[in-house]
Amino acid sequence: MLTNNDYKLAIISDQLAGGIGGAESVLFALYELFPDAPTYTTVYNQAIMPDKYKDKEIISSYIQNLPLSKKLYKAYFPLMPSAVEYFDLQKYDILFSSHHCVAKGIIPRPDAVHLCYCHSPARYIWDMFWTYAELNNLSPLKKIVTSIISNYIRMWDVTSSCRVDHYLANSSYTAKRIKKFYNRESLILHPPVDINKFKNEETDDYYLMVGRLVAYKGFELAVEAFNESGKKLIIVGKGAEYYKLKEKANSNIVMTGKVSDEDLVKFMNNCKGFVFPGKEDFGIVMAEAQSAGKPVIAFKAGGALDIVKDNETGVLFEQQSVQSLNEAINKSESINWDADLIRNHSKQFDSNLFKEKVNFLINNAFELEELIKNNGKELIYSIPNNENRVQVNL
């Protein structure tokens, strides 16, 4: 049996090309824990990396050498299964994949342990295939071609799911999707959140939304709701829907585009409440809003069910409709929110706690099967020099 000092660890990421998001926050937490572990990825664009990680050992796939791969990496999606399988990882004892696309499909050594942190089974080939096809305005012919390619990748996706020893799901919702599509159980491990970035300050008379302005995130619904109510809404972010939304929004809705970190912190710290009408696998920005002591008004689905305690740290609404969203906002205004309680609730998502859990899981990778077997539905462990017991649910 290998000891903690003996094993060789490799990290696998889908792509490091499109920007910094939730998947990259997991990766950066791993870098802090295991600075010498190399990262394997399909496509790498060093320009997107924070300066302190630019010197990391990153091994990219053969897709890296194809035309315009850094910019048009999504077009090479049909090649990505073979690209991750082509990586020679036989010298590694522990493999940690950060997966929302193909990363879990690597081929490990038979006696190695593969931990997969699953942000989501690829939505665009599973339950959201039709949504993405509609959002991208695919012609009937393109939809058929995309369906054929997706059929092949779905078969590969299920087959490769067997190569994972333990799944770590970012939310209860993702765990259910892993069970549905891969027929595998998961340990639930919420992603890392910098809860010290924000704090509760004055409460100004505006609501806030932050994120990429794409159709499935519910920004258009929010614009329609606030157009009707006349309440002030600030939307921070850019994306494909920016100009469409800007044209549709009344004067009570301010669309800032991309802003500096300093301005984002100010907007968050002083908002009246945070609005999240979309359905996400987790939704880190909701946890960030709660770290600022702000109530979150969110659609009752997806990751919001793990993050928001209804009527305690926010309001969950039942239907993605203007009426349902506005009723939830009105309800929020009738509640005397306890900012300290909301912030304390966010501490369960603290990035330091995430790192402690991951460190435990990787350092006990070879004993996890037995630990789970002995603890049934709940794996509970104590972290050295930490008074709090940390729980990962199965």
Side-chain angles (χ1 to χ4, degrees):
M1 179 65 67
L2 294 170
T3 65
N4 293 352
N5 295 323
D6 293 331
Y7 64 71
K8 291 183 178 180
L9 168 70
I11 300 166
I12 302 90
S13 178
D14 286 305
Q15 308 93 27
L16 283 170
I20 304 301
E24 287 69 33
S25 69
V26 168
L27 201 63
F28 298 158
L30 288 166
Y31 288 171
E32 293 179 25
L33 288 170
F34 308 102
D36 297 326
T39 300
Y40 290 78
T41 189
T42 57
V43 181
Y44 177 50
N45 182 2
Q46 190 186 55
I48 72 165
M49 295 289 277
D51 289 341
K52 64 179 179 179
Y53 300 128
K54 286 187 184 295
D55 294 330
K56 282 291 299 178
E57 182 183 1
I58 310 288
I59 299 104
S60 56
S61 75
Y62 65 77
I63 295 176
Q64 185 81 20
N65 300 317
L66 298 179
L68 300 174
S69 62
K70 293 179 183 179
K71 183 177 181 180
L72 301 177
Y73 62 91
K74 292 180 181 179
Y76 292 111
F77 178 53
L79 298 179
M80 288 182 181
S82 69
V84 295
E85 289 184 338
Y86 193 72
F87 288 134
D88 181 1
L89 302 170
Q90 299 307 295
K91 66 181 177 181
Y92 298 105
D93 309 297
I94 300 175
L95 299 157
F96 190 103
S97 60
S98 175
H99 170 85
H100 60 79
C101 180
V102 295
K104 69 163 177 52
I106 48 114
I107 300 177
R109 200 175 68 219
D111 61 333
V113 177
H114 180 186
L115 304 175
C116 173
Y117 190 86
C118 186
H119 305 274
S120 172
R123 291 175 293 184
Y124 34 85
I125 63 169
W126 289 106
D127 49 315
M128 291 189 70
F129 168 80
W130 299 271
T131 300
Y132 277 87
E134 183 177 344
L135 293 178
N136 289 298
N137 296 314
L138 297 184
S139 67
L141 178 60
K142 285 185 178 180
K143 190 178 291 187
I144 291 172
V145 172
T146 303
S147 177
I148 293 170
I149 295 172
S150 297
N151 177 258
Y152 141 70
I153 296 179
R154 275 193 291 270
M155 289 188 287
W156 175 86
D157 199 31
V158 173
T159 301
S160 64
S161 69
C162 301
R163 302 170 193 170
V164 175
D165 292 289
H166 303 286
Y167 279 96
L168 312 173
N170 63 354
S171 69
S172 303
Y173 172 66
T174 297
K176 290 177 181 178
R177 297 182 73 243
I178 292 170
K179 178 65 176 175
K180 184 68 173 179
F181 301 130
Y182 303 154
N183 197 27
R184 297 289 301 277
E185 300 289 347
S186 308
L187 299 172
I188 297 171
L189 181 59
H190 298 127
V193 179
D194 183 0
I195 65 168
N196 296 316
K197 183 177 181 178
F198 304 100
K199 63 180 180 180
N200 185 49
E201 294 182 353
E202 296 180 3
T203 300
D204 291 340
D205 191 25
Y206 67 87
Y207 290 90
L208 182 66
M209 293 184 74
V210 178
R212 288 185 301 114
L213 306 187
V214 293
Y216 76 88
K217 288 183 177 286
F219 285 94
E220 186 169 11
L221 171 60
V223 167
E224 292 171 353
F226 279 82
N227 276 348
E228 181 177 286
S229 70
K231 300 179 191 294
K232 186 173 181 180
L233 173 67
I234 295 177
I235 299 177
V236 175
K238 288 295 290 286
E241 297 282 292
Y242 178 80
Y243 293 105
K244 173 185 174 181
L245 295 172
K246 192 173 180 65
E247 183 176 345
K248 190 171 188 175
N250 291 342
S251 59
N252 58 301
I253 300 173
V254 177
M255 300 188 64
T256 66
K258 187 176 181 179
V259 301
S260 66
D261 275 353
E262 292 79 8
D263 285 342
L264 174 60
V265 168
K266 183 178 179 181
F267 283 134
M268 188 75 83
N269 290 351
N270 293 277
C271 71
K272 191 173 185 178
F274 191 85
V275 180
F276 198 92
K279 182 180 179 181
E280 288 279 10
D281 303 297
F282 182 73
I284 286 177
V285 70
M286 287 187 282
E288 290 178 331
Q290 292 192 146
S291 73
K294 304 302 181 180
V296 175
I297 298 95
F299 177 49
K300 191 177 181 179
L305 298 176
D306 285 14
I307 299 171
V308 182
K309 293 186 70 174
D310 200 15
N311 300 320
E312 292 185 39
T313 68
V315 177
L316 298 172
F317 59 95
E318 300 282 348
Q319 298 177 346
Q320 287 178 305
S321 68
V322 168
Q323 180 181 348
S324 188
L325 174 53
N326 277 335
E327 287 176 353
I329 292 170
N330 291 335
K331 182 178 180 180
S332 176
E333 293 180 350
S334 70
I335 296 174
N336 185 22
W337 296 107
D338 184 337
D340 290 335
L341 184 150
I342 295 174
R343 174 165 173 76
N344 285 334
H345 178 71
S346 75
K347 291 180 180 179
Q348 65 184 296
F349 310 117
D350 183 13
S351 58
N352 290 322
L353 187 57
F354 172 85
K355 285 185 283 188
E356 290 175 335
K357 292 179 178 181
V358 168
N359 191 51
F360 172 87
L361 292 168
I362 289 179
N363 282 302
N364 291 274
F366 295 98
E367 294 81 35
L368 274 184
E369 193 72 44
E370 191 66 22
L371 286 170
I372 293 170
K373 180 180 177 181
N374 292 338
N375 289 278
K377 288 291 184 180
E378 292 183 340
L379 173 62
I380 302 176
Y381 56 88
S382 297
I383 295 175
N385 303 318
N386 189 326
E387 295 180 357
N388 297 320
R389 299 179 72 192
V390 179
Q391 177 173 314
V392 181
N393 293 326
L394 174 63

